[in-house]
Amino acid sequence: MKVAVRALEVSGVAPEEWPALAAMLDEDERARAARFHFEDDRRSYVAAHALLRAELSKHADRPPQDWRFAAAARGKPYLVDPPRDLRFSLTHTRGMAAVAVTEGLEIGVDAESADRRADNMKVAERFFSPEEVALLRALDGDARREAFFAIWTLKEAVVKATGQGLARALDSFAVAFDPPRVTMRDGSAQNWSAAHWRRGSFHFAVAAQCVDAKATFEERDAAALLRHAD
């Protein structure tokens, strides 16, 4: 099974392109975007949702503006009346948006800035599995920081794929990033595929509930998205 991961860097969007990207969203999305206090957060949200709509339209013959969404009990979004069994996940952090799209698979995607300040070991000791904590303790400096964000994005991708969000304890499973893999600590037979990328100052990860999913990563620009809206 194929999983398409696509990213859009917010700083690459020209000022005159933002109104056109916002026009791809529905009324509820535009209202939510307007409620963000900071412009950087607002733009990251608009970028993520415009990117998702454009990428979905590459998988099915439907204009980006026509996709409709709903949310499951724990907040995981899904498509209303899709033409095929398309599944997706989206994420945005300041300066970056990313989406993953596939068919018939539960997936999750995450992006994080490596420039974000965090007490890596303090966070890891509170939330990570013993295996992950031991891996980080064996490293220091930049190597530890890089490993922390690789693990963090992979774990976030897994909980998004399960649809459990914060209800899923982050230490209930372990991830590795070289190569990327997921191991459930409860002994369940669930099979997973995972992938991780480092681009610029950002880490990206995707997880899929399928043992042989193949993920590809590409960066997009606003001009390419807007061509799908014409």
Side-chain angles (χ1 to χ4, degrees):
M1 300 291 290
K2 296 181 179 180
V3 179
V5 179
R6 304 295 182 253
L8 175 64
E9 189 165 7
V10 174
S11 64
V13 179
E16 64 273 14
E17 292 174 320
W18 284 111
L21 290 180
M24 295 171 66
L25 277 55
D26 64 25
E27 185 176 342
D28 288 343
E29 290 168 326
R30 288 193 292 271
R32 183 171 180 182
R35 290 195 292 269
F36 281 96
H37 182 71
F38 296 106
E39 183 66 17
D40 287 345
D41 296 329
R42 183 181 303 113
R43 289 186 169 185
S44 296
Y45 176 92
V46 170
H49 286 258
L51 175 62
L52 174 62
R53 288 172 173 275
E55 290 303 317
L56 287 169
S57 291
K58 294 183 67 176
H59 288 76
D61 186 19
R62 179 177 291 182
Q65 299 88 337
D66 289 354
W67 294 102
R68 295 293 176 262
F69 306 93
R74 294 191 183 276
K76 185 174 183 177
Y78 62 88
L79 287 169
V80 175
D81 191 28
R84 302 198 310 277
D85 188 17
L86 292 172
R87 313 283 183 92
F88 68 90
S89 180
L90 77 163
T91 185
H92 54 89
T93 187
R94 281 199 175 187
M96 182 60 67
V99 304
V101 179
T102 190
E103 191 166 348
L105 290 179
E106 294 298 338
I107 55 173
V109 69
D110 190 50
E112 299 288 345
S113 171
D115 294 334
R116 193 182 74 178
R117 294 183 179 275
D119 187 335
N120 298 342
M121 286 310 305
K122 185 175 181 179
V123 172
E125 288 165 357
R126 180 176 179 184
F127 294 109
F128 287 6
S129 71
E131 301 96 316
E132 294 157 347
V133 173
L135 185 154
L136 292 175
R137 282 178 177 156
L139 304 172
D140 55 26
D142 289 344
R144 175 182 287 179
R145 186 173 183 82
E146 289 296 302
F148 171 83
F149 281 109
I151 292 170
W152 183 263
T153 51
L154 284 162
K155 293 180 85 67
E156 286 288 312
V158 170
V159 297
K160 287 184 177 183
T162 66
Q164 295 173 295
L166 295 176
R168 180 78 189 229
L170 289 178
D171 61 357
S172 67
F173 63 95
V175 301
F177 56 90
D178 189 19
R181 63 183 183 275
V182 180
T183 304
M184 294 297 162
R185 295 175 57 81
D186 60 4
S188 65
Q190 217 167 28
N191 292 316
W192 288 83
S193 297
H196 168 265
W197 302 270
R198 174 75 143 89
R199 296 290 188 275
S201 61
F202 293 91
H203 286 263
F204 302 86
V206 67
Q209 292 187 11
C210 175
V211 69
D212 58 353
K214 304 298 182 185
T216 60
F217 179 93
E218 293 180 16
E219 296 181 63
R220 294 283 192 250
D221 58 39
L225 270 61
L226 294 172
R227 283 195 290 271
H228 289 282
D230 293 338

